């Protein structure tokens, strides 16, 4: 079926079934839509009208089924049926959008000043749109349901514009969420990076991370009162913005002042069951208001720490939890009539690790039980042997005997003209001064009741031989913030911190000579203080042998192998250099001053050349001018680094940087090189430095070799050297015996 738009009647006659006149607009819904025509279902009457798409005034592509349209009614000139013309799409009325915002200023409940007649108090709300914040006013009449709004509450509202002034305000305000109130609680547990708070409003614990604590984290500990805000993260409630409160602010329970009496009906089990989650497993029966009632109690509710048994008569207070109104017995004390009734006896002793076990323990004042007797008389003596704290090892605990020997000292004193000795321990000192050998001390004598063994206690140093002499040493190790000094005897190393360095750290190098004082710090550990760099001193003595020996390192320095206990390294003679006093296989120690290159890292098993010298202080022979004999081949060279086929520790290859190659040579794979090994103290890895190409003797060219083979002395054509006359000097003597002088121009000698 097709229609001609020219046949549509647009005249001014009335030809409608309902008698409607031309020009009256109706509304309807597009019910059917084809390529060139469609049908409309009228909204105001039961009628279905045809329309041609040419009668739609807008973009036909935007017209869809179900759209609301406005139109006029006319009649088809050919059939006389009513049709719709002059169609216009009706834009749907957008419902007023509710805006979500927050109360900035609540409506005041009372006005301090006098308000204008008929003026209502106002508050303000704010909302965010496209990153910008807008503020609107409101009155109490604009709040739905007479809800009480407070500053910070989350609300939703509609926006209203005053037709006369154009001012905008909020109306139809609905409360969405009240502002989160600050909660209080007590820190009940602290971990490495988080903790838990026992809430003061409900019987519940809540998690908090240390990043949410607003204060000094070092001062936070279990038992502190705090306040916090509860927020939901990952579906769980957590505490945020945690702040400290004054101690005693948070109170969980109220303890009655009245004292009650009762009987224990259930005791706390010694070994709690795995499924036991009740923190108050004990029960006490009490008669209150002529009724029997059971009150729970926990391990912390016993006041005197007496072991309770079933049937014990006790007295206690009643504690009521403010959060859930739970009552429990607290401050529990056993009544004396309990022991009269059970005829129990109490023994007095101290706890010991035996098979028998004690029950119904009562704590006595400290010092009531003692296994020792201490003399009132004070003795005076001299320290003959220093005492040190026990040396502990991470790998294995020392035996009792070794621990005792390690920490026990000895004092010599006189009693009634008899010279006696008594041991002492570091734990029995008074004050922080540690007695040294030769110090005069005052002490009391303690005797064990069971064995009669005596020891000195309450030690006090009376005087000390002050030694202001500065000690001499050599820098052996330099790390990030500390180092070690080799003593003048070359057999030990002393720790020192860079804060004790009196000279410039950047100028300090391995092997430098320093002066220092000894001090004992925490744990009686000896360290160097007031370390000062001084002029270089030859610490290996002047009697250095001229003979060079060949040897092998059988123990490196402790800086190379920190696992060893001895500081000194050892080198074994493999070639005695034909000296009768030095035999093959003899071992000689060496230190940092013995190294020709102080930064060189000698490994176990390396071949070295060295000389011998005598330490002036001890007269001991030690190795000096130790030079490693290293030769290896370059395995590969990359952009700025390479590797040498040389084993150092667990590594099969030795790293080197091209900057460490001497003379700027470009090494290639297969080149034989000589080098030094240095240890990076920070990473603990070794690398090669001072890499130099091994010199190779250049052979004669082949042409010269062949020519020498062909020359014979009998051949007349062979080149010969003939001396015409012997050289003589100006004085007709052989050679040049006269001293040569600078001749001045124009002067004749």
């Amino acid at each position: 079926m097709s229609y001609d738009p020219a046949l549509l009647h647009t005249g001014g006659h009335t030809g409608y079934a309902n008698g409607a006149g031309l020009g009256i607009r109706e509304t309807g819904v597009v019910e059917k839509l084809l390529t060139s025509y469609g049908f409309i279902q009228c909204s105001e009457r039961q009628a279905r009208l045809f329309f041609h798409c040419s009668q739609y005034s807008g973009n036909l592509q935007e017209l869809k089924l179900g759209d609301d349209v406005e139109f006029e009614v006319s009649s088809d000139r050919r059939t006389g049926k009513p049709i719709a013309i002059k169609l216009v799409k009706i834009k749907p009325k957008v419902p007023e959008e509710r805006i979500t915002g927050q109360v900035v200023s609540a409506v005041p409940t009372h006005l301090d000043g006098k308000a204008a007649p008929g003026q209502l108090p106002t508050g303000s709300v704010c909302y965010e749109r496209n990153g910008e914040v807008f503020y609107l006013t409101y009155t109490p009449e604009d709040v739905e349901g007479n809800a009480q709004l407070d500053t910070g509450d989350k609300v939703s509202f509609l926006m209203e514009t005053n037709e006369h002034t154009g001012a905008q305000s909020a109306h139809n305000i609905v409360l969405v969420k009240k502002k989160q109130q600050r909660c209080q609680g007590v820190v009940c547990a602290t971990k490495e990076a988080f903790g838990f708070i026992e809430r003061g409003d409900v019987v519940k614990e809540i998690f908090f991370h240390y990043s949410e604590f607003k204060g000094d984290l070092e001062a936070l500990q279990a038992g502190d009162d705090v306040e916090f805000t509860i927020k939901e993260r990952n579906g769980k409630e957590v505490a945020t913005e945690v702040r400290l409160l004054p101690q005693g602010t948070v109170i969980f329970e109220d303890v009655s002042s009245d004292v009650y009496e009762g009987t224990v009906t259930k005791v706390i089990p010694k070994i709690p069951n795995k499924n036991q989650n009740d923190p108050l497993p004990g029960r006490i029966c009490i008669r209150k208001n002529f009724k029997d009632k059971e009150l729970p109690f926990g391990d912390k509710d016993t006041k005197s720490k007496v072991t309770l048994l079933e049937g014990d008569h006790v007295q206690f207070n009643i504690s009521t939890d403010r959060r859930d109104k739970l009552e429990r017995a607290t401050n529990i004390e056993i009544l004396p009539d309990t022991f009269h009734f059970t005829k129990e006896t109490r023994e007095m002793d101290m706890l010991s690790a035996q098979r028998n076990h004690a029950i119904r323990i009562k704590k006595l004042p400290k010092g009531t039980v003692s296994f020792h007797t201490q003399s009132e008389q004070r003795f005076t003596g001299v320290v003959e042997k220093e005492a040190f704290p026990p040396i502990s090892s991470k790998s294995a605990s020392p035996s009792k005997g070794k621990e005792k020997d390690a920490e026990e000292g000895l004092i010599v004193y006189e009693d009634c003209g008899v010279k006696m000795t008594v041991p002492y321990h570091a734990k029995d000192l008074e004050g922080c001064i540690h007695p040294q050998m030769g110090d005069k001390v005052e002490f009391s004598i303690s005797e064990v009741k069971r064995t009669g063994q005596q020891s000195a206690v309450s030690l006090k140093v009376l005087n000390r031989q002050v030694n202001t002499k500065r000690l001499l040493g050599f820098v052996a190790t330099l790390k990030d913030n500390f180092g070690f000094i080799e003593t003048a005897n070359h057999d030990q190393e002393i720790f020192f911190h860079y804060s004790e360095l009196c000279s410039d750290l950047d100028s300090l190098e391995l092997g430098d000579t320093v002066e220092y004082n000894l001090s004992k710090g925490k744990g009686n550990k000896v360290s160097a203080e007031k370390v000062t760099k001084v002029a270089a001193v030859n610490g290996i003595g002047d009697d250095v042998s001229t003979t060079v020996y060949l040897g092998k390192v059988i123990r490196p320095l402790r800086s190379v192998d920190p696992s060893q206990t001895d500081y000194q390294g050892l080198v074994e003679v493999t070639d005695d250099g034909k000296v009768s006093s030095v035999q093959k296989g003899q071992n000689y120690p060496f230190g940092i001053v013995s190294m020709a290159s102080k930064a060189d890292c000698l490994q176990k098993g390396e071949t070295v050349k060295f000389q011998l010298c005598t330490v002036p202080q001890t007269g001991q022979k030690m190795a000096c001018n130790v030079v490693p004999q290293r030769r290896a081949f370059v395995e590969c060279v990359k952009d700025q680094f390479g590797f040498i086929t040389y084993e150092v520790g667990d590594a099969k290859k030795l790293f080197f940087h091209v900057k460490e190659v001497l003379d700027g040579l470009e090494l290639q794979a297969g080149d034989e090189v000589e080098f030094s090994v240095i240890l990076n103290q920070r990473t603990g890895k070794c690398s090669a430095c001072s890499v130099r190409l091994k010199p190779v003797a250049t052979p004669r060219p082949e042409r010269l070799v062949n020519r020498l083979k062909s020359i014979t002395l009998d051949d007349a054509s062979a080149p010969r050297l003939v001396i015409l006359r012997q050289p003589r000097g100006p004085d007709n003597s052989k050679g040049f015996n006269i001293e040569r002088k600078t001749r001045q121009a124009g002067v004749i000698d």
Side-chain angles (χ1 to χ4, degrees):
M1 178 178 181
S2 62
Y3 292 89
D4 185 1
L7 297 178
L8 294 175
H9 179 70
T10 58
H13 69 282
T14 58
Y16 311 122
N18 59 357
L22 185 64
I24 299 177
R25 310 274 302 172
E26 292 188 28
T27 58
V29 180
V30 177
E31 186 183 51
K32 187 175 183 179
L33 184 61
L34 298 177
T35 306
S36 59
Y37 64 94
F39 290 90
I40 298 174
Q41 179 66 45
C42 296
S43 302
E44 301 173 359
R45 57 192 175 94
Q46 294 294 330
R48 188 169 181 264
L49 301 179
F50 169 87
F51 73 94
H52 195 271
C53 291
S54 62
Q55 292 295 316
Y56 181 64
S57 61
N59 185 0
L60 191 62
Q61 300 295 330
E62 298 178 355
L63 190 63
K64 299 179 181 179
L65 289 176
D67 286 349
D68 295 331
V69 291
E70 188 181 44
F71 57 90
E72 293 182 7
V73 180
S74 182
S75 60
D76 190 340
R77 183 178 300 178
R78 187 175 60 178
T79 62
K81 293 182 179 181
I83 60 174
I85 62 172
K86 299 181 180 178
L87 277 74
V88 178
K89 186 177 180 180
I90 302 175
K91 294 183 179 180
K93 184 177 180 182
V94 180
E96 197 170 2
E97 178 187 4
R98 291 196 70 83
I99 303 173
T100 302
Q102 186 178 2
V103 177
V104 178
S105 176
V107 176
T109 55
H110 63 278
L111 295 176
D112 295 335
K114 295 182 179 180
Q119 181 181 1
L120 292 175
T122 61
S124 63
V125 296
C126 70
Y127 67 96
E128 185 178 354
R129 182 72 53 86
N130 296 329
E132 189 175 358
V133 180
F134 299 90
Y135 295 86
L136 301 174
T137 60
Y138 75 96
T139 62
E141 296 178 352
D142 296 321
V143 182
E144 296 290 338
N146 295 325
Q148 183 65 36
L149 299 182
D150 297 319
T151 301
D153 290 347
K154 187 177 181 181
V155 294
S156 68
F157 53 88
L158 300 175
M159 189 183 301
E160 184 180 27
T161 304
N162 192 314
E163 297 180 356
H164 301 286
T165 63
Q168 293 180 329
S169 61
H171 69 102
N172 294 96
I173 302 175
V174 177
L175 177 64
V176 176
K177 185 178 181 182
K178 292 292 291 182
K179 178 188 176 183
Q180 181 66 54
Q181 299 294 328
R182 297 282 285 175
C183 300
Q184 294 182 347
V186 176
V187 177
C188 58
T190 55
K191 305 295 183 181
E192 292 183 359
F194 59 90
F196 292 91
I197 301 172
E198 185 176 355
R199 294 173 56 176
D201 53 344
V202 293
V203 185
K204 189 177 180 182
E205 292 181 0
I206 188 169
F207 168 91
F208 76 98
H209 194 270
Y210 285 167
S211 60
E212 293 292 342
F213 181 70
K214 311 299 181 184
D216 184 10
L217 193 59
E218 298 293 336
L220 184 66
Q221 57 185 353
D224 287 343
D225 295 350
V226 292
E227 66 172 1
F228 54 92
T229 302
I230 300 176
K231 290 186 179 179
E232 187 172 333
R233 292 178 180 172
N234 299 327
K236 295 183 179 180
E237 289 185 340
V238 298
T240 61
E241 299 179 8
V242 183
R243 299 181 185 276
L244 279 176
L245 292 175
Q247 199 70 19
T249 303
V250 183
I251 300 175
F252 290 130
E253 56 193 12
D254 298 317
V255 180
S256 66
S257 58
D258 297 333
V259 179
Y260 300 88
E261 294 185 3
T263 305
V264 177
T265 58
K266 184 179 179 182
V267 297
I268 300 174
K270 297 179 181 178
I271 303 176
N273 192 357
K274 293 182 179 179
N275 300 326
Q276 178 69 37
N277 294 323
D278 187 5
L280 306 173
R283 295 292 184 270
I284 293 178
C285 183
I286 177 178
R287 188 166 184 81
K288 186 177 181 183
N289 298 329
F290 305 102
K291 292 182 180 179
D292 290 338
K293 182 179 180 180
E294 270 195 344
L295 294 176
F297 69 92
D299 186 33
K300 298 181 179 179
D301 292 320
T302 54
K303 188 174 182 180
S304 58
K305 302 301 179 184
V306 174
T307 305
L308 298 178
L309 299 178
E310 292 185 7
D312 284 349
H313 296 174
V314 292
Q315 65 179 12
F316 54 89
N317 301 106
I318 295 180
S319 172
T320 305
D321 198 310
R322 292 184 177 183
R323 299 167 292 181
D324 56 2
K325 306 304 179 184
L326 175 67
E327 292 183 339
R328 81 173 198 276
T330 187
N331 298 331
I332 304 172
E333 289 185 305
I334 194 166
L335 294 174
D337 61 354
T338 295
F339 299 103
H340 296 305
F341 178 77
T342 59
K343 297 182 180 180
E344 292 185 53
T345 59
R346 295 267 176 138
E347 294 188 4
M348 190 168 61
D349 205 342
M350 295 184 67
L351 294 178
S352 60
Q354 298 179 356
R355 292 185 180 272
N356 297 332
H357 62 276
I359 63 172
R360 305 178 72 84
I361 302 169
K362 182 179 181 181
K363 185 178 179 181
L364 298 176
K366 188 175 181 181
T368 304
V369 180
S370 176
F371 293 133
H372 303 79
T373 58
Q374 184 172 331
S375 65
E376 297 181 358
Q377 181 183 357
R378 298 284 288 176
F379 297 89
T380 303
V382 178
V383 176
E384 188 177 67
K385 179 184 175 183
E386 295 184 31
F388 296 96
I391 301 174
S392 60
S393 175
K394 295 182 179 179
S395 59
S397 298
S399 63
K400 292 183 179 179
K402 291 182 179 179
E403 181 178 345
K404 182 178 180 181
D405 294 338
E407 67 171 357
E408 191 176 80
L410 199 64
I411 298 175
V412 179
Y413 72 102
E414 288 187 2
D415 186 12
C416 299
V418 180
K419 187 176 181 181
M420 305 180 68
T421 59
V422 63
Y424 78 97
H425 301 84
K427 61 182 180 64
D428 295 322
L429 302 177
E430 284 187 357
C432 59
I433 301 178
H434 186 84
Q436 298 179 1
M437 187 180 300
D439 284 349
K440 189 176 181 180
V441 293
E442 185 183 40
F443 58 93
S444 300
I445 294 181
S446 174
E447 183 176 341
V448 180
K449 293 181 179 179
R450 290 176 295 182
T451 63
Q453 184 179 1
Q454 294 183 344
S455 62
V457 297
S458 303
L459 271 80
K460 184 178 180 182
V461 179
L462 296 180
N463 64 343
R464 170 167 292 174
Q465 297 177 0
V466 180
N467 185 10
T468 58
K469 183 180 178 181
R470 299 272 286 170
L471 301 177
L472 200 65
F474 309 92
V475 178
T477 307
L478 293 174
K479 294 186 178 291
D480 288 340
N481 52 11
F482 64 92
F484 289 90
I485 299 173
E486 181 181 300
T487 60
N489 294 341
H490 311 289
D491 56 352
Q492 294 182 13
E493 60 179 354
I494 306 296
F495 170 87
F496 75 97
H497 196 272
Y498 287 167
S499 60
E500 296 291 341
L501 194 61
C502 301
S503 55
D504 186 13
L505 177 62
D506 296 333
S507 64
L508 198 64
E509 296 179 356
L510 294 176
D512 284 350
T513 307
V514 292
E515 283 185 347
Y516 61 95
N517 292 337
L518 285 180
S519 66
K520 289 188 178 181
K522 187 176 181 181
N524 293 323
K525 293 183 179 180
V526 179
S527 62
E529 63 180 10
K530 299 180 181 179
V531 182
T532 306
K533 182 179 178 181
V534 296
V537 176
N538 185 8
I540 58 177
D542 298 330
D543 57 338
V544 179
S545 65
T546 57
T547 307
V548 178
Y549 304 94
L550 190 65
K552 180 177 67 174
V553 177
I554 61 175
R555 187 179 71 197
L557 291 173
R558 186 156 58 188
S559 59
V560 178
D561 184 9
S563 62
Q564 68 185 37
T565 57
D566 295 326
Y567 162 70
Q568 287 181 316
L570 281 180
V571 59
E572 180 183 354
V573 178
T574 57
D575 186 0
D576 54 15
K578 310 301 181 182
V579 179
S580 59
S581 60
V582 177
Q583 297 180 359
K584 186 176 180 180
Q586 285 185 341
N587 299 335
Y588 293 97
F590 68 93
I592 191 66
V593 295
S594 303
M595 304 290 298
S597 175
K598 304 299 187 284
D600 210 331
C601 178
L602 282 181
Q603 303 287 325
K604 183 178 180 181
E606 285 192 313
T607 303
V608 295
K609 286 184 177 181
F610 64 96
Q611 297 169 278
L612 291 178
C613 66
T614 304
V615 180
Q617 291 83 354
T618 62
Q620 181 187 13
K621 290 284 186 181
M622 69 178 295
C624 63
N625 298 331
V626 181
V627 179
Q629 303 297 302
R630 300 189 183 101
R631 287 185 181 179
F633 294 93
V634 177
E635 183 180 76
C636 63
V637 179
K638 296 187 178 180
D639 186 17
Q640 294 293 325
F641 61 92
F643 291 92
I644 300 173
T645 55
Y646 191 80
E647 295 186 11
V648 177
D650 298 333
K652 303 295 183 181
K653 304 173 185 177
L654 185 63
F655 171 87
F656 73 93
H657 197 276
V658 294
K659 293 182 179 179
E660 296 294 340
V661 181
L662 300 180
D663 302 328
L665 298 177
E666 293 185 4
L667 299 180
Q668 298 179 357
D671 288 346
E672 189 175 8
V673 292
E674 297 176 348
F675 52 90
S676 298
V677 178
I678 58 174
L679 176 65
N680 190 323
Q681 296 290 349
R682 180 173 298 178
T683 62
K685 295 182 179 180
C686 294
S687 61
C689 69
S690 303
V691 182
R692 54 193 175 275
L693 188 64
K694 179 185 176 184
V696 180
T698 306
R700 289 183 176 181
E702 184 122 359
R703 57 183 180 83
L704 294 180
V705 174
N706 295 334
R707 186 177 179 185
L708 289 174
K709 289 180 180 180
S710 61
I711 293 177
T712 60
L713 297 177
D714 298 335
D715 190 358
S717 62
R720 294 184 180 184
L721 178 62
V722 180
I723 300 177
L724 298 179
R725 65 175 179 85
Q726 293 292 338
R728 291 183 179 275
D731 57 349
N732 202 23
S733 62
K734 293 182 179 181
F736 299 92
N737 296 329
I738 299 179
E739 183 182 357
R740 291 177 177 269
K741 297 181 180 180
T742 305
R743 179 178 177 276
Q744 297 181 2
V747 178
I748 300 175
D749 294 339

